[in-house]
Amino acid sequence: MNTELIPARPVIVTGKRKRTRGWKGNGLLYAMLLPAIVLTFIFSYVPIAGLVMAFQDYQPWLGFTKSPWVGLQQFRTIFQFPDSVQVIWNTLIIAGLKIVAGLIAPFGFALLLNEVRSNIFKRSVQTLVYLPHFLSWVILGGILVDVLSPSGGLFNRFLSIFGVEPIFFLGNGNWFRFTVVLSDVWKEFGFSTIVYLAALAGINPSLYEAAEADGANRWQQTIFITIPSLVPMAIVLGTLSLGNVLNAGFDQIFNLYSPLVYGKGDIIDTYVYRMGIQNGQFSFGTAFGLFKSLVSTVLIVVSYRLAYRYGNYKIF
């Protein structure tokens, strides 16, 4: 058989390359993105100009240009007020408890849900525990006020069966912190479980097969395979949550608290709202909010550094 090599045709490269789809080709997509950009600019970037109030004795009738400048006086006032220091401690305590409980609850729930063999039951439970995440604290706050009421509330009625005196969960400072943390966990732990379930799905099944061949039972497989596989994800979530240590949840606290629990339930966000908006101390409220933002920014940077170092996690 006579075979001959057929020379390939030379490829002629023109000097002008065809341009990929740009603004014209993706115009519809950019148009869909435009409203989000406009809203972000209006509500996130334009208000930055108002930070000058933190360095002024701002008076609304004088405006930004004529209000007297006081330098860092507003920031010094933050640490001179006993209420301000107490508010910072309240925020750290409530946010810290939320972070710890918010890590333990979904971790344990994911382990338990992983042992369920019925897919129908597993999916039903997942749906039920996810639902509270999509409800506003305005709705949940009203429900909790009714359920935890000391006079006729469903929970106190249940406690009365065992002879327990009614508890004012939302009117006692110590019980208020407990209620806030527990209700936040109840609302969010189902949604947070998604991350751990995704990590569980990525575990190599051969590890379980090898452990079962060696005689390991389900409990031993959980201890030596499942939990160590979830620990890196828990470390990442724990370090990233450090950036929210000054965010104790304005929506939740605002819809649940009252003057009875200001001493142990008032946080930075609610305090700034009350002092800055309701009491008209705009400069003090702005300075306190700026102080919180600066500290949160530092904590976010540190948390991402820790997550990259110990959990090999990075965004960019």
Short mmCIF file of all heavy atoms in Angstrom, two decimals, residues 223-262:
data_model
loop_
_atom_site.label_atom_id
_atom_site.label_comp_id
_atom_site.label_asym_id
_atom_site.label_seq_id
_atom_site.Cartn_x
_atom_site.Cartn_y
_atom_site.Cartn_z
N ILE A 223 -15.69 8.87 65.00
CA ILE A 223 -14.63 9.49 65.79
C ILE A 223 -13.35 9.67 64.98
O ILE A 223 -12.70 10.73 65.02
CB ILE A 223 -14.34 8.66 67.06
CG1 ILE A 223 -15.55 8.68 68.00
CG2 ILE A 223 -13.11 9.20 67.78
CD1 ILE A 223 -15.90 10.04 68.54
N PHE A 224 -12.98 8.67 64.21
CA PHE A 224 -11.66 8.67 63.56
C PHE A 224 -11.69 9.09 62.09
O PHE A 224 -10.63 9.33 61.51
CB PHE A 224 -11.02 7.28 63.68
CG PHE A 224 -10.72 6.88 65.09
CD1 PHE A 224 -11.54 5.96 65.74
CD2 PHE A 224 -9.65 7.43 65.78
CE1 PHE A 224 -11.26 5.59 67.06
CE2 PHE A 224 -9.38 7.06 67.08
CZ PHE A 224 -10.19 6.15 67.73
N ILE A 225 -12.87 9.18 61.48
CA ILE A 225 -12.94 9.56 60.07
C ILE A 225 -13.79 10.82 59.87
O ILE A 225 -13.32 11.82 59.33
CB ILE A 225 -13.49 8.41 59.20
CG1 ILE A 225 -12.57 7.19 59.27
CG2 ILE A 225 -13.64 8.86 57.76
CD1 ILE A 225 -13.07 5.99 58.50
N THR A 226 -15.05 10.75 60.33
CA THR A 226 -15.99 11.84 60.04
C THR A 226 -15.59 13.13 60.73
O THR A 226 -15.48 14.18 60.08
CB THR A 226 -17.41 11.43 60.47
OG1 THR A 226 -17.75 10.18 59.88
CG2 THR A 226 -18.40 12.49 60.04
N ILE A 227 -15.37 13.08 62.03
CA ILE A 227 -15.05 14.30 62.78
C ILE A 227 -13.74 14.93 62.31
O ILE A 227 -13.69 16.15 62.06
CB ILE A 227 -15.04 14.02 64.29
CG1 ILE A 227 -16.46 13.69 64.77
CG2 ILE A 227 -14.47 15.21 65.06
CD1 ILE A 227 -16.56 13.40 66.24
N PRO A 228 -12.63 14.15 62.16
CA PRO A 228 -11.40 14.78 61.64
C PRO A 228 -11.57 15.40 60.26
O PRO A 228 -10.91 16.39 59.94
CB PRO A 228 -10.40 13.62 61.60
CG PRO A 228 -10.89 12.66 62.64
CD PRO A 228 -12.38 12.76 62.58
N SER A 229 -12.48 14.84 59.45
CA SER A 229 -12.71 15.41 58.12
C SER A 229 -13.47 16.73 58.18
O SER A 229 -13.36 17.56 57.28
CB SER A 229 -13.47 14.41 57.25
OG SER A 229 -12.73 13.20 57.10
N LEU A 230 -14.26 16.92 59.24
CA LEU A 230 -15.03 18.15 59.38
C LEU A 230 -14.29 19.25 60.14
O LEU A 230 -14.68 20.41 60.07
CB LEU A 230 -16.35 17.86 60.11
CG LEU A 230 -17.39 17.02 59.37
CD1 LEU A 230 -18.63 16.85 60.23
CD2 LEU A 230 -17.77 17.66 58.04
N VAL A 231 -13.24 18.87 60.87
CA VAL A 231 -12.52 19.85 61.69
C VAL A 231 -11.94 21.00 60.85
O VAL A 231 -12.05 22.16 61.25
CB VAL A 231 -11.42 19.16 62.52
CG1 VAL A 231 -10.46 20.17 63.11
CG2 VAL A 231 -12.07 18.34 63.64
N PRO A 232 -11.32 20.74 59.68
CA PRO A 232 -10.81 21.88 58.89
C PRO A 232 -11.90 22.88 58.51
O PRO A 232 -11.67 24.10 58.55
CB PRO A 232 -10.21 21.21 57.65
CG PRO A 232 -9.85 19.83 58.10
CD PRO A 232 -10.91 19.44 59.08
N MET A 233 -13.08 22.37 58.14
CA MET A 233 -14.17 23.28 57.81
C MET A 233 -14.63 24.06 59.04
O MET A 233 -14.94 25.26 58.95
CB MET A 233 -15.35 22.49 57.23
CG MET A 233 -16.54 23.35 56.82
SD MET A 233 -16.11 24.61 55.59
CE MET A 233 -15.69 23.55 54.19
N ALA A 234 -14.66 23.41 60.20
CA ALA A 234 -15.04 24.10 61.43
C ALA A 234 -14.02 25.19 61.78
O ALA A 234 -14.40 26.26 62.27
CB ALA A 234 -15.15 23.09 62.58
N ILE A 235 -12.74 24.92 61.52
CA ILE A 235 -11.70 25.92 61.79
C ILE A 235 -11.89 27.14 60.88
O ILE A 235 -11.80 28.29 61.32
CB ILE A 235 -10.30 25.31 61.59
CG1 ILE A 235 -10.03 24.26 62.66
CG2 ILE A 235 -9.23 26.39 61.62
CD1 ILE A 235 -8.72 23.52 62.48
N VAL A 236 -12.20 26.89 59.61
CA VAL A 236 -12.41 27.99 58.67
C VAL A 236 -13.61 28.83 59.09
O VAL A 236 -13.54 30.07 59.15
CB VAL A 236 -12.62 27.43 57.24
CG1 VAL A 236 -13.08 28.54 56.31
CG2 VAL A 236 -11.34 26.82 56.72
N LEU A 237 -14.73 28.17 59.40
CA LEU A 237 -15.93 28.91 59.80
C LEU A 237 -15.71 29.66 61.12
O LEU A 237 -16.21 30.77 61.31
CB LEU A 237 -17.11 27.95 59.94
CG LEU A 237 -17.59 27.29 58.65
CD1 LEU A 237 -18.72 26.32 58.94
CD2 LEU A 237 -18.03 28.32 57.63
N GLY A 238 -14.96 29.04 62.04
CA GLY A 238 -14.70 29.69 63.32
C GLY A 238 -13.84 30.92 63.18
O GLY A 238 -14.12 31.96 63.79
N THR A 239 -12.81 30.84 62.35
CA THR A 239 -11.93 32.00 62.17
C THR A 239 -12.63 33.11 61.40
O THR A 239 -12.46 34.30 61.70
CB THR A 239 -10.64 31.59 61.44
OG1 THR A 239 -10.98 30.88 60.23
CG2 THR A 239 -9.78 30.70 62.31
N LEU A 240 -13.43 32.74 60.40
CA LEU A 240 -14.15 33.77 59.64
C LEU A 240 -15.20 34.46 60.49
O LEU A 240 -15.51 35.64 60.27
CB LEU A 240 -14.82 33.14 58.41
CG LEU A 240 -13.89 32.60 57.32
CD1 LEU A 240 -14.69 32.02 56.18
CD2 LEU A 240 -12.96 33.69 56.82
N SER A 241 -15.76 33.76 61.46
CA SER A 241 -16.79 34.36 62.32
C SER A 241 -16.20 35.38 63.29
O SER A 241 -16.95 36.16 63.89
CB SER A 241 -17.52 33.27 63.11
OG SER A 241 -16.64 32.56 63.96
N LEU A 242 -14.87 35.41 63.43
CA LEU A 242 -14.26 36.42 64.30
C LEU A 242 -14.54 37.84 63.80
O LEU A 242 -14.58 38.78 64.59
CB LEU A 242 -12.74 36.19 64.39
CG LEU A 242 -12.28 34.91 65.10
CD1 LEU A 242 -10.76 34.81 65.03
CD2 LEU A 242 -12.74 34.92 66.54
N GLY A 243 -14.71 37.98 62.51
CA GLY A 243 -15.01 39.30 61.96
C GLY A 243 -16.36 39.83 62.39
O GLY A 243 -16.63 41.02 62.26
N ASN A 244 -17.24 38.95 62.89
CA ASN A 244 -18.57 39.37 63.32
C ASN A 244 -18.69 39.44 64.83
O ASN A 244 -19.81 39.41 65.36
CB ASN A 244 -19.62 38.39 62.78
CG ASN A 244 -19.73 38.44 61.28
OD1 ASN A 244 -19.69 39.52 60.68
ND2 ASN A 244 -19.86 37.29 60.65
N VAL A 245 -17.56 39.53 65.52
CA VAL A 245 -17.61 39.51 66.98
C VAL A 245 -18.25 40.78 67.54
O VAL A 245 -18.71 40.78 68.69
CB VAL A 245 -16.19 39.32 67.56
CG1 VAL A 245 -15.38 40.59 67.42
CG2 VAL A 245 -16.24 38.85 69.00
N LEU A 246 -18.32 41.84 66.76
CA LEU A 246 -19.01 43.06 67.20
C LEU A 246 -20.38 43.21 66.57
O LEU A 246 -21.03 44.24 66.72
CB LEU A 246 -18.16 44.30 66.87
CG LEU A 246 -16.86 44.45 67.66
CD1 LEU A 246 -16.14 45.73 67.27
CD2 LEU A 246 -17.11 44.44 69.16
N ASN A 247 -20.83 42.17 65.86
CA ASN A 247 -22.18 42.17 65.28
C ASN A 247 -23.02 41.14 66.03
O ASN A 247 -23.03 39.97 65.68
CB ASN A 247 -22.14 41.83 63.78
CG ASN A 247 -21.44 42.90 62.97
OD1 ASN A 247 -21.59 44.08 63.24
ND2 ASN A 247 -20.66 42.49 61.98
N ALA A 248 -23.70 41.60 67.05
CA ALA A 248 -24.50 40.69 67.87
C ALA A 248 -25.93 40.55 67.37
O ALA A 248 -26.72 39.86 68.00
CB ALA A 248 -24.51 41.17 69.33
N GLY A 249 -26.26 41.18 66.26
CA GLY A 249 -27.58 41.01 65.67
C GLY A 249 -28.54 42.12 66.03
O GLY A 249 -29.34 41.98 66.96
N PHE A 250 -28.50 43.22 65.27
CA PHE A 250 -29.38 44.35 65.57
C PHE A 250 -30.85 43.98 65.43
O PHE A 250 -31.68 44.33 66.28
CB PHE A 250 -29.04 45.53 64.64
CG PHE A 250 -30.01 46.67 64.72
CD1 PHE A 250 -29.93 47.59 65.75
CD2 PHE A 250 -31.03 46.81 63.78
CE1 PHE A 250 -30.82 48.65 65.84
CE2 PHE A 250 -31.92 47.86 63.86
CZ PHE A 250 -31.82 48.78 64.90
N ASP A 251 -31.20 43.30 64.32
CA ASP A 251 -32.61 42.98 64.07
C ASP A 251 -33.21 42.17 65.22
O ASP A 251 -34.33 42.44 65.67
CB ASP A 251 -32.74 42.19 62.76
CG ASP A 251 -32.37 43.03 61.55
OD1 ASP A 251 -32.33 44.26 61.69
OD2 ASP A 251 -32.10 42.44 60.48
N GLN A 252 -32.47 41.18 65.67
CA GLN A 252 -32.98 40.32 66.73
C GLN A 252 -33.13 41.09 68.05
O GLN A 252 -34.19 41.05 68.69
CB GLN A 252 -32.05 39.13 66.93
CG GLN A 252 -32.51 38.17 68.01
CD GLN A 252 -31.46 37.14 68.34
OE1 GLN A 252 -30.27 37.32 68.02
NE2 GLN A 252 -31.86 36.06 68.98
N ILE A 253 -32.07 41.77 68.46
CA ILE A 253 -32.10 42.49 69.73
C ILE A 253 -33.16 43.58 69.71
O ILE A 253 -33.92 43.75 70.68
CB ILE A 253 -30.72 43.10 70.04
CG1 ILE A 253 -29.63 42.03 70.07
CG2 ILE A 253 -30.74 43.85 71.37
CD1 ILE A 253 -29.78 41.02 71.17
N PHE A 254 -33.25 44.31 68.63
CA PHE A 254 -34.18 45.43 68.54
C PHE A 254 -35.63 44.97 68.66
O PHE A 254 -36.47 45.68 69.21
CB PHE A 254 -33.98 46.18 67.22
CG PHE A 254 -34.81 47.41 67.08
CD1 PHE A 254 -34.49 48.57 67.77
CD2 PHE A 254 -35.93 47.41 66.26
CE1 PHE A 254 -35.27 49.71 67.64
CE2 PHE A 254 -36.71 48.55 66.14
CZ PHE A 254 -36.37 49.70 66.82
N ASN A 255 -35.94 43.78 68.15
CA ASN A 255 -37.31 43.28 68.19
C ASN A 255 -37.62 42.52 69.48
O ASN A 255 -38.79 42.15 69.69
CB ASN A 255 -37.56 42.35 67.00
CG ASN A 255 -37.74 43.10 65.70
OD1 ASN A 255 -38.78 43.68 65.43
ND2 ASN A 255 -36.70 43.10 64.88
N LEU A 256 -36.62 42.28 70.33
CA LEU A 256 -36.85 41.51 71.55
C LEU A 256 -36.60 42.30 72.83
O LEU A 256 -37.19 41.97 73.87
CB LEU A 256 -35.97 40.25 71.57
CG LEU A 256 -36.27 39.18 70.51
CD1 LEU A 256 -35.27 38.04 70.63
CD2 LEU A 256 -37.69 38.66 70.63
N TYR A 257 -35.73 43.31 72.79
CA TYR A 257 -35.31 43.93 74.05
C TYR A 257 -36.27 45.02 74.49
O TYR A 257 -37.19 45.43 73.77
CB TYR A 257 -33.88 44.44 73.95
CG TYR A 257 -33.69 45.81 73.33
CD1 TYR A 257 -32.65 46.61 73.73
CD2 TYR A 257 -34.53 46.30 72.33
CE1 TYR A 257 -32.43 47.86 73.18
CE2 TYR A 257 -34.33 47.54 71.77
CZ TYR A 257 -33.29 48.32 72.20
OH TYR A 257 -33.09 49.55 71.66
N SER A 258 -36.08 45.48 75.72
CA SER A 258 -36.89 46.53 76.33
C SER A 258 -36.00 47.26 77.34
O SER A 258 -34.89 46.78 77.65
CB SER A 258 -38.12 45.94 77.01
OG SER A 258 -37.74 45.14 78.11
N PRO A 259 -36.43 48.40 77.88
CA PRO A 259 -35.61 49.10 78.88
C PRO A 259 -35.26 48.24 80.09
O PRO A 259 -34.29 48.54 80.79
CB PRO A 259 -36.50 50.29 79.28
CG PRO A 259 -37.33 50.56 78.07
CD PRO A 259 -37.61 49.21 77.48
N LEU A 260 -36.01 47.17 80.35
CA LEU A 260 -35.73 46.31 81.50
C LEU A 260 -34.40 45.56 81.35
O LEU A 260 -33.79 45.19 82.35
CB LEU A 260 -36.86 45.30 81.69
CG LEU A 260 -38.24 45.87 82.05
CD1 LEU A 260 -39.28 44.76 82.06
CD2 LEU A 260 -38.19 46.57 83.40
N VAL A 261 -33.95 45.36 80.12
CA VAL A 261 -32.75 44.55 79.90
C VAL A 261 -31.63 45.36 79.25
O VAL A 261 -30.70 44.78 78.68
CB VAL A 261 -33.07 43.31 79.03
CG1 VAL A 261 -34.00 42.37 79.76
CG2 VAL A 261 -33.68 43.73 77.68
N TYR A 262 -31.71 46.69 79.29
CA TYR A 262 -30.64 47.51 78.71
C TYR A 262 -29.29 47.18 79.35
O TYR A 262 -28.26 47.21 78.68
CB TYR A 262 -30.94 48.99 78.90
CG TYR A 262 -31.94 49.56 77.90
CD1 TYR A 262 -32.43 50.85 78.05
CD2 TYR A 262 -32.37 48.81 76.82
CE1 TYR A 262 -33.35 51.38 77.15
CE2 TYR A 262 -33.27 49.32 75.92
CZ TYR A 262 -33.76 50.61 76.08
OH TYR A 262 -34.66 51.12 75.18
#
